[in-house]
Amino acid sequence: MAGHTEIHAKVSEILSAAGFEVHPFLIGWYNENVQTPFELPYDPDTLAFIIFSTPAMFDKAFKPFICRQSCDQQRDPIDECMIHHFNMVREAFPSEEIETLHDFEMTATRRPKVLVQTAGHVAGAAYYYQRKDVEPDEWDSKKKIYGVSIHPKYGGWFALRGVIIFQKVHQPDLPHREPEDCVKSREDRIKLLEGFNYNWQDWTYRDIVPAQDKYSEEQMKYFATMPKDRKEVVEEIKAKHCGDGKE
Ligand code: B12
């Protein structure tokens, strides 16, 4: 059976050309952090990957994807596009048992199947800043403050799309690295968490660290549009980018 480096290389080869980043982790690292209802039912040394979309995903994966799709899709086109790319990985490993869990997948009791921010943190890929990272605590104890992950290269200009689990691949020797703590001061952490919780629509929390690449105007327009109204934006993008329909 292939080792983690071969598997990692192959998954990266498939996804990085489409504007994704791929980071390996072990299920045990994830399960050690989350509460029991969120644990994933695999051995601690099971190999998994967290998948991030970078700003380039929109041009490299999403536009080509919608150009190939008819417009009568039920799901959000971004979700469809993610399912398509995760399936490409699945198809590249016909003899492996693979489970894919997307960020938007919920259990029957409406609990997220995977907490992608925790996965990104334990993979050493993007620090997950939570209320408990601000000491002493800043907010009223009754207030709910949601946490946010920050990527060392893209700041908040990325998304955590899901995990791919190689159910039968055990990799106890996978090197464990810590995520880069790029928002070090208490003051900046407060600014980040308040931006994410109270002013996320103005995008500014994403700039808490300088970003190498950000979303284009077009990508921002797409994500700022309510999912129910995105059809129109998709049609605009298609008219502009899809050529004469021969694709
Ligand atoms: C439900 C949800 C929401 C809900 C509730 C938010 C919440 N965090 O609970 C609502 C609708 C409010 C929401 C809003 C937004 N969301 Co939202 N949301 C989610 C979703 C689907 C699940 C989050 C969830 O329910 N978590 C459950 C709670 C219990 O988890 P938790 O607080 O992390 O607790 C765990 C950790 O603390 C862990 N833990 C404990 N100790 C330790 C220690 C360490 C070191 C670690 C690592 C972990 C750890 O254990 C706990 C569980 O037992 C995630 C995607 C996903 N599947 O993860 C996106 C997600 C969090 N949302 C995201 C975004 C961007 C947004 C919005 C900006 C809207 C948007 N553009 O999509 C807003 C911003 C928030 C706001 N101001 O409203 C992004 C965040 C990206 C990032 N950089 O972090 C995510 C990751 C989606 C994505 N695809 O990237 N969201």
Side-chain angles (χ1 to χ4, degrees):
M1 190 182 288
H4 71 91
T5 36
E6 289 93 334
I7 296 177
H8 187 185
K10 197 159 156 184
V11 178
S12 291
E13 192 187 305
I14 297 163
L15 292 179
S16 54
F20 295 93
E21 269 187 12
V22 172
H23 301 273
F25 67 98
L26 295 184
I27 292 296
W29 304 345
Y30 175 91
N31 285 348
E32 273 163 26
N33 280 295
V34 299
Q35 282 165 333
T36 318
F38 291 106
E39 282 177 15
L40 296 169
Y42 302 103
D43 290 339
D45 59 0
T46 307
L47 180 66
F49 296 89
I50 172 82
I51 312 300
F52 293 168
S53 56
T54 74
M57 180 279 295
F58 202 74
D59 283 354
K60 291 186 173 165
F62 187 59
K63 285 183 189 170
F65 178 79
I66 56 173
C67 289
R68 293 192 302 264
Q69 292 302 94
S70 60
C71 47
D72 52 1
Q73 298 295 321
Q74 294 304 308
R75 265 181 197 281
D76 186 85
I78 281 281
D79 293 353
E80 289 282 358
C81 177
M82 297 305 120
I83 293 170
H84 170 79
H85 284 84
F86 279 38
N87 282 341
M88 284 167 66
V89 174
R90 201 189 271 287
E91 284 157 18
F93 295 94
S95 56
E96 296 288 351
E97 285 177 44
I98 290 178
E99 175 161 39
T100 55
L101 296 172
H102 293 273
D103 62 333
F104 53 79
E105 283 188 76
M106 302 288 156
T107 64
T109 52
R110 304 293 304 157
R111 202 177 337 98
K113 287 193 178 172
V114 63
L115 301 179
V116 288
Q117 295 161 306
T118 294
H121 186 100
V122 300
Y127 201 108
Y128 179 32
Y129 293 95
Q130 306 185 69
R131 179 177 188 156
K132 59 185 168 212
D133 294 308
V134 173
E135 285 175 309
D137 189 77
E138 169 73 4
W139 301 278
D140 184 309
S141 60
K142 288 195 260 337
K143 240 183 214 162
K144 178 80 195 130
I145 302 289
Y146 300 130
V148 56
S149 301
I150 292 297
H151 189 289
K153 276 202 249 160
Y154 303 113
W157 300 95
F158 79 112
L160 302 98
R161 297 299 178 177
V163 299
I164 299 180
I165 303 165
F166 285 75
Q167 302 178 48
K168 294 280 145 60
V169 180
H170 299 283
Q171 208 72 58
D173 59 346
L174 185 74
H176 189 189
R177 54 186 190 97
E178 292 298 319
E180 190 178 328
D181 175 5
C182 38
V183 187
K184 283 204 157 54
S185 73
R186 179 174 185 274
E187 203 185 7
D188 283 346
R189 290 179 180 186
I190 292 171
K191 191 170 146 201
L192 171 65
L193 288 173
E194 294 198 335
F196 182 71
N197 279 269
Y198 306 134
N199 299 305
W200 58 275
Q201 273 135 325
D202 72 12
W203 308 91
T204 53
Y205 79 84
R206 297 179 192 251
D207 285 320
I208 194 77
V209 298
Q212 208 172 75
D213 192 15
K214 294 188 195 185
Y215 294 176
S216 61
E217 284 297 325
E218 191 175 42
Q219 180 163 190
M220 285 166 75
K221 179 173 173 188
Y222 181 85
F223 287 121
T225 305
M226 295 279 288
K228 67 175 179 49
D229 302 321
R230 285 181 180 173
K231 243 188 182 135
E232 227 170 90
V233 188
V234 167
E235 288 313 313
E236 261 174 49
I237 298 173
K238 277 179 135 177
K240 219 160 128 193
H241 299 284
C242 296
D244 56 6
K246 283 190 197 130
E247 282 187 75

